[in-house]
Amino acid sequence: MSETERWQAAEQLALALAEGGLQRMPARALAVFLFTGDETVTMGEIADRLGVSAGSVSGAVKALLSVGLIERLPAPGSRREHYRLRDDAWSTLFSAQNTVVGVMLKAADTGIAATASGDPAHERLTRMRDFYRFLLGELPGLLRRWEEQHPPR
Amino acid sequence: MSETERWQAAEQLALALAEGGLQRMPARALAVFLFTGDETVTMGEIADRLGVSAGSVSGAVKALLSVGLIERLPAPGSRREHYRLRDDAWSTLFSAQNTVVGVMLKAADTGIAATASGDPAHERLTRMRDFYRFLLGELPGLLRRWEEQHPPR
DNA sequence: CTAAGCCTTCAGAAATTTCTGAAATTTCGC
DNA sequence: GCGAAATTTCAGAAATTTCTGAAGGCTTAG
């Protein structure tokens, strides 16, 4: 279990995160937050680890903050800002990815309004709407069950 | 409810689909499959509707076929191939988007194997694995409930 | 108050993705 | 079989996304 192996696994995870919709640099940064042996991380450490510019890290951290995957810690008297992965990061990420569900539902409604009943398109769009309506109804319960089974520490 | 409105709604939906991970051209093509007033569509009709090259349509249709969102119909004596949206397109699309869940789970396991217990990273990765394990367990039941409520015609 | 270090911003470079156009291939009616 | 029409393929063009590097602003220690 070498350090090399550890960071290979980290980069591999970054690729999976990128598949899942995150942009490349935020994904790689998130992997650092996961795999670091420290409790918190600074921007400088991320830049060193990934071998990328400070500007890239700034943008990536900003993106991760905005979706609630990481949090800035009350500064412990240091000049550098410290960040860490949030406990609820995974359910947050899952929810963010399902924001699309709401958009799809709305798009379906618009389409239904723009077609006459009897038009094949009207039926297709109705079926689509029903599916996303169903999903939107199920997802909150899903996340609630998760939190019940695994309460934050 | 003009034709213009209808196809504006279609392009709007294509954007939502692109947000959801589909590539631009397959997304636009899928919107045509949804919004067309006919039961089936040919590649030529898609190309005309979208004003794009036959090559682009060929690639897009191939992509939609490979993920199971549309199907080729037994040729009704025409020279052109006819395609249509599949009944189970939406649950298929949802499943495809959740393929990532399995990849994430595997990545987490790799990371756990590459870190020692006691290492903060080990704990984070374990929590991550638990979440995706939970999701992977819940998704099949979710789709089963959908199919029970809305059996294919 | 000053200086040093950290972070942000943004214009431009680089890399990647996406689309087209035309040639090659396949298919189907005749 | 033959020929016309449709489809596939793929190299290169175009567009988009992503990263860097440097300048400027902000914060904190002294």
Side-chain angles (χ1 to χ4, degrees):
Chain A
M1 153 174 38
S2 66
E3 277 301 286
T4 303
E5 266 181 322
R6 173 195 292 235
W7 293 109
Q8 276 178 354
E11 287 291 349
Q12 182 182 340
L13 185 97
L15 284 180
L17 288 164
E19 284 292 307
L22 279 184
Q23 292 178 334
R24 176 185 287 286
M25 191 59 70
R28 294 184 71 199
L30 192 59
V32 173
F33 278 98
L34 262 172
F35 278 83
T36 181
D38 300 325
E39 288 295 342
T40 67
V41 178
T42 66
M43 288 199 175
E45 288 165 2
I46 297 172
D48 288 347
R49 168 59 55 197
L50 299 179
V52 298
S53 72
S56 297
V57 175
S58 176
V61 167
K62 190 178 179 183
L64 294 176
L65 280 172
S66 75
V67 290
L69 293 175
I70 63 173
E71 59 192 347
R72 168 181 279 153
L73 292 177
S78 162
R79 179 167 304 178
R80 300 178 169 192
E81 300 286 352
H82 283 246
Y83 303 86
R84 75 168 170 209
L85 190 71
R86 293 190 49 155
D87 269 358
D88 57 356
W90 304 112
S91 57
T92 298
L93 183 59
F94 183 70
S95 299
Q97 285 172 169
N98 284 305
T99 301
V100 181
V101 171
V103 178
M104 298 284 274
L105 184 55
K106 186 158 190 174
D109 281 332
T110 303
I112 290 170
T115 52
S117 74
D119 186 331
H122 195 80
E123 279 187 38
R124 285 186 214 106
L125 289 163
T126 300
R127 189 170 175 82
M128 172 185 172
R129 182 198 57 192
D130 289 346
F131 180 77
Y132 284 104
R133 195 178 262 173
F134 168 81
L135 263 194
L136 212 56
E138 292 281 339
L139 291 178
L142 193 74
L143 290 177
R144 188 178 44 70
R145 284 198 295 283
W146 162 251
E147 286 180 6
E148 279 171 6
Q149 287 182 31
H150 297 263
R153 22 171 173 164
Chain B
M1 152 174 41
S2 65
E3 276 301 286
T4 303
E5 264 180 323
R6 172 196 292 236
W7 294 109
Q8 277 177 354
E11 287 290 350
Q12 182 182 339
L13 185 97
L15 285 180
L17 288 164
E19 284 291 307
L22 280 184
Q23 292 177 333
R24 176 187 284 286
M25 192 59 70
R28 294 184 72 200
L30 191 59
V32 173
F33 278 99
L34 262 172
F35 277 83
T36 181
D38 302 324
E39 290 295 343
T40 66
V41 179
T42 67
M43 289 198 176
E45 286 165 4
I46 296 172
D48 288 347
R49 168 59 56 197
L50 299 178
V52 298
S53 72
S56 298
V57 175
S58 176
V61 167
K62 191 176 178 183
L64 294 176
L65 279 172
S66 75
V67 291
L69 292 176
I70 62 175
E71 59 193 348
R72 169 181 279 154
L73 291 177
S78 163
R79 177 166 307 177
R80 299 178 168 193
E81 300 286 350
H82 284 244
Y83 302 86
R84 76 168 171 210
L85 190 71
R86 293 189 49 155
D87 269 359
D88 57 356
W90 304 112
S91 57
T92 298
L93 183 59
F94 183 69
S95 299
Q97 284 171 173
N98 284 305
T99 301
V100 181
V101 171
V103 178
M104 298 284 275
L105 185 54
K106 185 157 190 175
D109 282 331
T110 304
I112 290 170
T115 51
S117 73
D119 186 331
H122 195 81
E123 280 188 36
R124 286 187 213 104
L125 289 164
T126 299
R127 190 171 174 81
M128 172 185 172
R129 181 198 57 191
D130 289 346
F131 180 77
Y132 284 105
R133 197 177 262 174
F134 169 81
L135 263 194
L136 212 56
E138 292 282 339
L139 291 179
L142 193 74
L143 290 177
R144 190 178 43 70
R145 286 198 294 283
W146 163 252
E147 286 182 4
E148 279 171 6
Q149 287 182 32
H150 296 265
R153 25 172 170 160

